[in-house]
Amino acid sequence: MLTILTAAAVATMQPAPVHPAENKKVEVMVLGMYHLANPGQDMINVDAGDVMQDGPQEELMALVNSLADWKPTKVLVETQSPNADLTLSNYARADELIATEASETYQIGYRLARTLGHANVYGFDEQPGDGEPDYFPMGKVQQWSAAHGKQAEIGALFGWAQNYIMSQAKEVASCSIAEKLVFHNGSANAAFGHSRLYYGMLGFGDADNQPGAELNAYWYMRNAKMFAKADMVAEPGDRVLIIVGSGHKYWLDHFASVTPGYSLVDATPYLEATEGKRC
């Protein structure tokens, strides 16, 4: 049945709410990293070497100078903040940490923020607390595979991922840090790796138990929560640089591309423009 609205009804209707950033979008650049101080906690770990030596330090300074050309107004790093506003208190010790700690949090994030004169750096990582789910329940996938005779299949998938990452690392071994990051930040590489590895795990499950699907769902949840934290910090017109492990890039790029009030900026031109190329 066709409903005709009266003039009075139309007059009382409220306009749809507009996202506060719709009038002036937040630009987001996601810099996907291999970890410079590798904690060995990723499924596949890449040896970054000693970035505290003179040569890598010069490369990091050149990278920071190139990123500074974009003039980010906020810098977010893959660290949890205990503060409600997500600021990181140890940014007050930035100079000391840059001089002594190899992590990209300090070598790129804090160094860039100091270069630009920022008052704060923000930590937007999300880790499970008490009563929260495991965001990467790989153990359940492996247990299901062992119980259903699928060890060879899961082993082949992990083997492919290991070989893919290591072959790329070998190919760019003689390159500068910025040049290595060109690979990690290529959207085609991120999509290909994500599809083969994560969606490849969807087949590990049955009608009663689907650990592969659950792993995909919880990984999405972690990244969605991380982007929601970025949204807490971002204001209309901001240029937000997110420095994060490259495994997160697929989903964070997605959120920056489709969330109302946001637009995604490609990091590649700034990586390619960095001085001191070696390959």
Side-chain angles (χ1 to χ4, degrees):
M1 181 177 66
L2 180 63
T3 301
I4 305 297
L5 295 178
T6 66
V10 171
T12 60
M13 292 176 63
Q14 297 297 316
V18 176
H19 190 284
E22 280 289 356
N23 295 327
K24 199 170 184 182
K25 288 192 173 185
V26 177
E27 296 182 2
V28 175
M29 180 187 293
V30 180
L31 181 65
M33 294 292 306
Y34 61 94
H35 293 302
L36 301 183
N38 200 317
Q41 295 178 349
D42 293 336
M43 190 169 65
I44 301 170
N45 297 286
V46 176
D47 183 6
D50 184 0
V51 300
M52 303 304 289
Q53 297 296 315
D54 290 345
Q57 282 293 297
E58 292 175 3
E59 293 176 7
L60 286 165
M61 274 300 307
L63 171 59
V64 163
N65 289 336
S66 188
L67 292 171
D69 288 341
W70 185 53
K71 297 181 175 59
T73 56
K74 300 245 172 67
V75 175
L76 277 63
V77 294
E78 191 182 347
T79 301
Q80 280 190 293
S81 171
N83 301 321
D85 62 359
L86 303 185
T87 56
L88 292 169
S89 300
N90 69 355
Y91 179 56
R93 298 168 44 228
D95 292 343
E96 171 195 342
L97 293 167
I98 292 167
T100 58
E101 300 292 334
S103 169
E104 61 272 11
T105 290
Y106 312 118
Q107 293 302 316
I108 300 177
Y110 282 23
R111 194 193 298 258
L112 176 60
R114 289 281 286 156
T115 298
L116 295 171
H118 288 191
N120 294 298
V121 171
Y122 301 87
F124 80 124
D125 195 15
E126 176 69 19
Q127 295 291 341
D130 291 340
E132 293 183 322
D134 179 359
Y135 293 128
F136 198 76
M138 182 59 71
K140 292 183 179 180
V141 177
Q142 293 172 315
Q143 291 167 11
W144 185 94
S145 300
H148 293 80
K150 299 288 186 179
Q151 297 98 320
E153 286 88 340
I154 195 71
L157 184 61
F158 292 165
W160 170 84
Q162 179 81 18
N163 291 336
Y164 179 64
I165 295 297
M166 292 308 173
S167 65
Q168 294 293 337
K170 183 178 180 180
E171 186 175 327
V172 298
S174 63
C175 299
S176 69
I177 292 171
E179 289 171 311
K180 292 174 182 176
L181 291 177
V182 170
F183 162 73
H184 286 268
N185 286 273
S187 57
N189 288 332
F192 176 69
H194 186 278
S195 297
R196 283 290 303 270
L197 179 59
Y198 286 95
Y199 295 159
M201 283 188 273
L202 289 174
F204 294 95
D206 53 39
D208 298 318
N209 187 10
Q210 298 191 44
E214 290 176 0
L215 183 144
N216 272 271
Y218 286 130
W219 181 242
Y220 175 93
M221 180 188 289
R222 180 183 172 194
N223 285 281
K225 288 186 174 184
M226 291 170 74
F227 193 82
K229 286 184 175 180
D231 184 60
M232 291 169 52
V233 171
E235 299 177 5
D238 268 340
R239 291 182 298 277
V240 178
L241 177 65
I242 291 177
I243 301 170
V244 69
S246 58
H248 297 272
K249 184 172 173 61
Y250 177 87
W251 280 123
L252 294 178
D253 276 1
H254 166 79
F255 291 124
S257 297
V258 303
T259 301
Y262 285 82
S263 64
L264 179 66
V265 176
D266 186 5
T268 303
Y270 295 90
L271 299 174
E272 292 178 338
T274 301
E275 295 181 0
K277 295 179 179 179
R278 293 196 279 116
C279 66

